[in-house]
Amino acid sequence: MTQPTSLTSNKTLLAWVDEMAKLTKPDRIVWCDGSEEERKRFTEEAVGAGILEPLNPETRPGCYFHRSNSNDVARVEHLTFICTPEKEEAGPTNNWMAPADAYAKLTPLFDGSMTGRTMYVVPYIMGPAGSPMSKVGVEVTDSVYVALNMRIMTRMGKIALDQLGDSNDFNRGLHSTLDCNPERRFICHFPQDNTIWSVGSGYGGNVLLGKKCLALRIGSYLGKKEGWLAEHMLILGVESPEGETTYVAAAFPSACGKTNFSMMIPPKRFKGWKVWTVGDDIAWMRVGEDGRLWAINPEAGYFGVAPGTSMESNANAMLSIRSNTIFTNVALTSDKDVWWEGMGTPAPEEATDWQGRPWKKGSTEKAAHPNSRFTAPAQNNPALSKYWDDPKGVPISAIIFGGRRATTVPLVMQAFNWVNGVFFGATMGSETTAAATGAVGIVRRDPFAMLPFCGYNMSDYFGHWLAMQTKLANPPKLFMVNWFRKGKDGSFLWPGYGENMRVLKWVIDRSRLRVGGYETPMGWVPKAGDLDLSELAISSETVDEATSVNFTEWKQELESLDAFFDQMGPRMPKVLRLQRDLMLARIELMADPTVT
Ligand code: GTP
Ligand code: SPV
Ligand code: MN
């Protein structure tokens, strides 16, 4: 059944593809080589089938538009499963199915699912080619949209087969779109088999299997086993006017600002400073021989949130999506350009909305879906770090945890030590966003921004983070930030975006032990004068409100963690509860200095 391919003679791979073809029964099998000729051919096929629509070649050369099924526009956490032999291995935060049950449930769905269709065999590398930190995956899919997106998001094709050689060490990914019926939609991970089966969806995070499924869920499992970290983190480099570059990683939950932060343009006040993007969503980090933590970005492109992206908020993203980009679920204008809310250009009088319906300026309905996305090659980014593809990665000096919190969490705070920082990460709260289906704006605990992405027991994941300290002679400093605190009128207190450079500067200076701080019961915050606020267009009262640490709010926050800790179960490291108790005791001490 398998069409002969000259691309590989890897027997394990050929046998597995055969097996998948026997199950799904495609009419044709196409092995992807990743060439430009192949991109053209796939694109023509997709355009012919109405899956992609070409955009205006003058304004958006090489760009295409795609509309997914309107019931299929975000990740589906309730349909995502970790399938380990023991339920306890998946832990208290994941949906679990026994591997045999999951295979038995999904096999009939895949049986003949590709009949009348083409099976694309998509070999890919997560990470720079030749890097000891990289991993190879092969995704077989019946979606040409997936093949074209994987081509942008990963090092795809011959390059991956060459890296794999005859090895059997590759992730086995199987994807079939079916009819996008949510009743028949499952995203199942089999960490012990290095296997992912995804069925019934055509949306990004559910089907671009290298991304959340391999690089985070399977990746985190491998990281625990092999002693490294797979994280939902951006990686950036900050270059000072003197030419000193400091690398920072930051974990913010989905749709909470990673892409923006990683491409940030410093404000005028920071003349001569430059932020370079290494990655915008995922970091794989290992301990180097020098005892520092070294990070690579396993991806090769950006699958970014479109709404809110403008020349003002993120010029580098806007410049990244001028060419060779696929847009999904945005609005389409009559001159075949794209538009979304917060794009910074006036709304068109008329457009076609994300569901393909006529849309008029002033409509109460959104033209673009709040989770509409662009897929753009990293090479398009003017701020791309020259080390983004370096097999060694970059050395990380600081790690930042941040959520979307209207109250309590100050603009920035530094942990006293590693355990304190792991506590910051573990107890992160954030309001839910449109990146996953379900209610938006509800505060939930999203430990390390990994709640939807940790491929094993979250308590063991905390333990893994704690244990990393013993391997790091030169650990990064750990911080917490919040760009989303609101004032009484409900508007954001901090202007965010490029102005976040002011916070980043403090973070870097703290990491390099050259700026002051003030000790609160929870961590270090900038002293008056430590944050550079000159030429900032907001009042000092507003800055005070954004940076303040309110003991009453924090007492509530810390007390509310009981429920979370109870949910984490008996495997949760005790030191995290002690950390919480210590903070509460310190608050009491500060509120009543007579307590002993
Ligand atoms: P995923 O790709 O889902 O993992 O998201 P992300 O973390 O990369 O989020 P992204 O940078 O795409 O930002 C999501 C939303 O947050 C967009 O609507 C942004 O406009 C908004 N946002 C980003 N940074 C800031 C900020 O500093 N302040 C405020 N108020 N909003 C921000
Ligand atoms: C996220 O939701 O965190 C994303 C988009 O980065 S997706 O690839 O759909 O998961
Ligand atoms: Mn993400």
Side-chain angles (χ1 to χ4, degrees):
M1 179 42 160
T2 308
Q3 279 183 5
T5 174
S6 56
L7 289 170
T8 181
S9 54
N10 183 317
K11 289 198 178 64
T12 322
L13 174 57
L14 291 168
W16 172 73
V17 171
D18 254 352
E19 194 192 327
M20 294 304 103
K22 282 203 181 83
L23 172 62
T24 57
K25 304 177 181 66
D27 283 15
R28 278 167 306 280
I29 299 177
V30 173
W31 285 75
C32 300
D33 61 16
S35 66
E36 182 56 25
E37 179 280 321
E38 177 183 87
R39 185 183 72 84
K40 287 204 181 101
R41 186 158 41 85
F42 286 1
T43 304
E44 274 165 29
E45 264 171 56
V47 171
I51 294 164
L52 289 184
E53 189 170 331
L55 293 172
N56 189 324
E58 301 287 316
T59 51
R60 301 271 168 199
C63 293
Y64 294 84
F65 168 80
H66 172 76
R67 208 173 269 131
S68 71
N69 192 309
S70 60
N71 74 28
D72 185 30
V73 292
R75 284 181 292 99
V76 280
E77 293 178 6
H78 61 295
L79 301 173
T80 300
F81 291 83
I82 302 299
C83 306
T84 44
E86 301 295 325
K87 185 171 196 296
E88 192 63 16
E89 286 175 80
T93 57
N94 282 311
N95 300 310
W96 174 82
M97 257 194 266
D101 293 349
Y103 285 127
K105 195 178 183 106
L106 270 61
T107 295
L109 301 178
F110 280 112
D111 188 0
S113 65
M114 298 191 191
T115 301
R117 303 170 66 89
T118 301
M119 173 193 268
Y120 300 88
V121 182
V122 185
Y124 62 93
I125 314 175
M126 298 311 287
S131 169
M133 296 166 88
S134 295
K135 300 275 179 200
V136 173
V138 182
E139 174 169 0
V140 298
T141 173
D142 57 8
S143 163
V144 70
Y145 169 81
V146 167
L148 284 165
N149 273 272
M150 286 294 283
R151 189 181 191 282
I152 300 175
M153 294 305 296
T154 70
R155 284 89 171 164
M156 185 270 249
K158 186 173 180 301
I159 190 172
L161 294 171
D162 289 349
Q163 175 149 335
L164 183 63
D166 284 332
S167 166
N168 65 3
D169 184 15
F170 62 94
N171 180 269
R172 291 136 171 86
L174 172 62
H175 166 246
S176 211
T177 318
L178 297 187
D179 53 357
C180 280
N181 177 352
E183 302 288 315
R184 304 200 296 156
R185 181 174 300 158
F186 297 97
I187 326 296
C188 290
H189 305 73
F190 304 89
Q192 279 82 357
D193 302 343
N194 201 2
T195 292
I196 303 156
W197 280 18
S198 165
V199 67
S201 171
Y203 169 76
N206 301 330
V207 299
L208 308 178
L209 300 185
K211 193 172 174 61
K212 297 302 157 91
C213 300
L214 172 52
L216 289 180
R217 297 196 190 97
I218 301 283
S220 60
Y221 168 87
L222 293 174
K224 162 88 169 130
K225 211 166 85 172
E226 298 167 2
W228 51 281
L229 296 167
E231 300 299 328
H232 194 200
M233 290 182 185
L234 67 95
I235 309 162
L236 60 77
V238 192
E239 188 179 338
S240 73
E242 294 75 38
E244 169 196 80
T245 303
T246 310
Y247 293 93
V248 175
F252 310 154
S254 301
C256 289
K258 288 182 300 302
T259 302
N260 277 269
F261 196 48
S262 74
M263 298 181 183
M264 181 227 287
I265 296 180
K268 282 206 188 67
R269 163 73 188 156
F270 286 79
K271 196 162 173 285
W273 289 80
K274 186 90 188 104
V275 170
W276 301 104
T277 317
V278 179
D280 83 321
D281 197 47
I282 299 177
W284 282 358
M285 304 191 284
R286 273 180 202 261
V287 181
E289 279 166 16
D290 57 1
R292 287 192 290 180
L293 196 57
W294 288 74
I296 59 161
N297 168 17
E299 302 191 278
Y302 311 120
F303 185 61
V305 177
T309 308
S310 66
M311 281 308 283
E312 207 186 326
S313 66
N314 191 350
N316 286 321
M318 290 300 277
L319 299 174
S320 301
I321 61 180
R322 284 192 303 190
S323 63
N324 303 325
T325 297
I326 300 173
F327 295 89
T328 302
N329 296 333
V330 299
L332 201 54
T333 63
S334 54
D335 55 354
K336 295 280 177 242
D337 202 351
V338 290
W339 190 81
W340 48 77
E341 282 74 14
M343 194 183 196
T345 51
E349 289 302 323
E350 287 184 348
T352 309
D353 77 2
W354 66 275
Q355 298 192 71
R357 302 173 309 190
W359 181 92
K360 278 198 170 49
K361 185 175 181 163
S363 164
T364 51
E365 302 228 5
K366 298 237 187 279
H369 187 275
N371 192 38
S372 52
R373 300 241 167 196
F374 51 78
T375 320
Q379 285 92 339
N380 279 7
N381 178 3
L384 189 61
S385 162
K386 62 181 168 201
Y387 298 110
W388 84 279
D389 196 29
D390 192 320
K392 270 205 326 292
V394 295
I396 300 295
S397 298
I399 295 180
I400 304 177
F401 304 109
R404 192 181 273 270
R405 291 296 300 271
T407 67
T408 317
V409 180
L411 184 62
V412 61
M413 185 148 71
Q414 182 190 358
F416 295 123
N417 53 43
W418 187 263
V419 172
N420 193 174
V422 171
F423 174 87
F424 280 175
T427 59
M428 250 168 78
S430 196
E431 293 161 20
T432 50
T433 65
T437 54
V440 167
I442 316 253
V443 175
R444 68 171 182 182
R445 297 289 140 201
D446 187 349
F448 290 80
M450 284 288 280
L451 180 69
F453 307 120
C454 183
Y456 63 101
N457 190 308
M458 189 61 91
S459 288
D460 295 347
Y461 169 92
F462 296 159
H464 181 42
W465 259 89
L466 289 167
M468 285 302 284
Q469 184 187 10
T470 59
K471 300 188 192 171
L472 288 163
N474 291 302
K477 302 287 190 289
L478 306 178
F479 298 80
M480 172 193 264
V481 300
N482 179 20
W483 315 142
F484 299 94
R485 203 166 184 183
K486 288 182 174 169
K488 286 179 196 68
D489 65 354
S491 60
F492 292 122
L493 290 165
W494 180 250
Y497 302 102
E499 302 297 352
N500 294 335
M501 180 64 210
R502 299 168 191 274
V503 174
L504 188 52
K505 171 81 168 39
W506 188 74
V507 164
I508 286 162
D509 287 341
R510 287 293 296 177
S511 310
R512 292 185 177 272
L513 310 175
R514 60 189 181 202
V515 69
Y518 174 79
E519 184 183 325
T520 77
M522 273 65 66
W524 295 100
V525 297
K527 273 197 320 301
D530 286 341
L531 270 189
D532 186 334
L533 299 170
S534 47
E535 299 174 28
L536 183 65
I538 59 172
S539 69
S540 60
E541 291 76 34
T542 309
V543 174
D544 288 348
E545 220 180 317
T547 52
S548 69
V549 173
N550 178 310
F551 289 177
T552 314
E553 285 180 348
W554 269 98
K555 196 157 178 283
Q556 262 173 23
E557 174 82 5
L558 295 168
E559 282 169 351
S560 80
L561 291 177
D562 271 337
F564 170 69
F565 286 158
D566 288 346
Q567 188 208 349
M568 289 301 112
R571 288 161 78 144
M572 201 198 60
K574 197 173 149 202
V575 73
L576 296 179
R577 268 192 200 262
L578 291 173
Q579 188 62 232
R580 196 277 307 251
D581 294 348
L582 186 57
M583 285 181 182
L584 272 173
R586 284 203 206 107
I587 289 179
E588 275 171 38
L589 202 66
M590 302 282 273
D592 178 1
T594 62
V595 174
T596 53

